[in-house]
Amino acid sequence: MPERNPILITGAAGEIGGVSRTMVDMLLDQGQPVRAFVRQDDERAHALRQAGAEVFVGDLLDIADVTAALQGVRRIYFSMSLSPYYTDAVSLMAAAARAQGDIEVFVNISEYEQSFMTFEKMTAPEEERRSWLGGLVTQWSPQQRAHWVAEQVLEWSGLPAVHVRAAMFVENPLLTWLALEPLSNGELRLPFGHHRLAPIAGYDVAELCVKILTDPEPHIAKSYDLTGPELKDMHGFAEDYAAALGRPVVYVPEDVETWNEIYVDTAMSAYPHIAEHLKTLTRLMGGGGYRGVTDQLETLLGRPPKTVRWALENHPRIRKLASA
């Protein structure tokens, strides 16, 4: 059989359970060649090599590195940690892909918010935006704006792009480690009031992205809006945490700005871009502006999305807390 082109996965050195890392394992299990783009040649890069991936060490903000990483690649999955330079990195990858000229698919991980970040809503009067976004915020976060610009860039590029717009992951820091200390005392302290959410398991996003990468033609030029299986309030979430931890958990609602100050500002003081994104998310959700549930993932994968409980039971931090 002729040698197949490697599939480029960026963000591959994320923690175990992260989307890119899960995708690498899924692709390798299918016998697909994978080129994993990482920032540092460390123990995570070594683990990728041990798993069977080809590892490329480089900088997503260096177009020479990006161009070298693309050599021989026809299919791209792009992901990057939250960064003020996110749009720069997407644009550099798109420019290098256009210059190479033979790309079959560019899978762009995006955000569920993009489904309602239309040009009309983004340019509406401030009070109209405030009403639409739940009353606690008038603007999207810089990271959400970066994803919006990234989608525009890819559309302008003419590349065969697919936008995978995922709802907040169950694995998001807001749900899995910023407020772990109260959980150890049997309290789920979150600033979401009575509102209902449908976060998605990272595993589901990884599986769909792998499906697109291995058979891209049906998906080119499409955008998919993905959520978890059902809208659930925080009392329902508390039941899921209780099941995952094996102990009673009760929901204790918190004021949004007080929660942001106690948890986000303290933990993310060195990362203002990430902090602002997380605080915007809490304001969106705490005001009821993060709405809706879709059946697109079930239609595409032929199975329901994984539940919040499943994702919590399989999260390293929650499992560690359960065994403490």
Side-chain angles (χ1 to χ4, degrees):
M1 293 178 63
E3 184 176 346
R4 289 174 298 168
N5 301 100
I7 297 171
L8 182 66
I9 306 294
T10 71
E15 65 180 60
I16 297 296
V19 172
S20 291
R21 185 65 175 85
T22 301
M23 288 175 62
V24 170
D25 292 335
M26 288 178 173
L27 287 165
L28 291 173
D29 286 346
Q30 294 181 18
Q32 300 284 349
V34 174
R35 180 174 296 160
F37 195 119
V38 302
R39 184 70 179 88
Q40 295 180 324
D41 197 351
D42 54 17
E43 66 278 0
R44 295 173 298 177
H46 176 69
L48 287 163
R49 291 191 185 95
Q50 290 292 104
E54 174 194 354
V55 173
F56 182 93
V57 182
D59 185 351
L60 286 171
L61 293 171
D62 184 329
I63 196 166
D65 286 352
V66 172
T67 300
L70 281 177
Q71 290 181 8
V73 166
R74 302 290 179 269
R75 302 178 185 186
I76 303 165
Y77 168 79
F78 184 87
S79 176
M80 183 184 184
S81 300
L82 304 187
S83 167
Y85 304 106
Y86 193 95
T87 303
D88 302 53
V90 174
S91 302
L92 292 173
M93 183 67 74
R98 274 174 52 89
Q100 183 164 297
D102 54 2
I103 299 303
E104 296 173 350
V105 66
F106 189 123
V107 178
N108 170 47
I109 188 68
S110 192
E111 296 180 322
Y112 183 68
E113 293 92 324
Q114 304 306 314
S115 65
F116 53 86
M117 281 180 73
T118 64
F119 184 82
E120 290 73 21
K121 286 190 169 64
M122 293 176 70
T123 56
E126 181 175 299
E127 285 311 306
E128 187 176 328
R129 292 199 308 271
R130 183 188 300 277
S131 175
W132 172 252
L133 295 174
L136 301 182
V137 64
T138 63
Q139 192 56 275
W140 287 267
S141 77
Q143 182 67 32
Q144 290 164 335
R145 185 177 65 237
H147 279 284
W148 187 85
V149 176
E151 288 198 16
Q152 310 310 304
V153 167
L154 288 169
E155 294 304 306
W156 300 335
S157 75
L159 291 166
V162 183
H163 303 299
V164 177
R165 297 167 168 174
M168 182 178 68
F169 292 155
V170 179
E171 297 85 357
N172 188 290
L174 296 176
L175 299 179
T176 56
W177 63 270
L178 282 182
L180 278 184
E181 185 177 348
L183 273 175
S184 65
N185 297 322
E187 294 180 341
L188 177 63
R189 290 185 171 270
L190 288 171
F192 304 144
H194 63 277
H195 299 295
R196 298 188 300 158
L197 307 175
I200 193 167
Y203 182 94
D204 283 343
V205 178
E207 184 174 327
L208 177 59
C209 290
V210 165
K211 181 181 178 71
I212 296 168
L213 287 166
T214 54
D215 183 21
E217 188 173 348
H219 307 284
I220 300 302
K222 293 183 178 179
S223 299
Y224 297 123
D225 304 328
L226 309 179
T227 70
E230 62 177 332
L231 288 165
K232 185 181 297 190
D233 67 18
M234 293 303 105
H235 297 288
F237 274 66
E239 293 176 2
D240 290 331
Y241 282 96
L245 295 173
R247 67 190 72 158
V249 174
V250 296
Y251 172 52
V252 181
E254 294 268 11
D255 172 74
V256 172
E257 296 308 325
T258 301
W259 196 93
N260 283 338
E261 182 178 344
I262 293 173
Y263 295 105
V264 180
D265 287 338
T266 301
M268 297 293 173
S269 60
Y271 307 98
H273 178 84
I274 297 175
E276 187 57 34
H277 177 64
L278 293 176
K279 289 192 287 188
T280 300
L281 276 181
T282 64
R283 291 163 185 153
L284 276 170
M285 292 182 286
Y290 199 99
R291 57 183 73 82
V293 63
T294 76
D295 63 358
Q296 291 189 27
L297 188 129
E298 183 168 3
T299 299
L300 291 162
L301 293 184
R303 64 162 177 83
K306 301 289 189 183
T307 63
V308 168
R309 186 169 302 186
W310 181 92
L312 291 174
E313 289 173 344
N314 286 276
H315 192 279
R317 291 180 187 269
I318 301 299
R319 293 172 71 172
K320 183 179 179 180
L321 182 59
S323 62

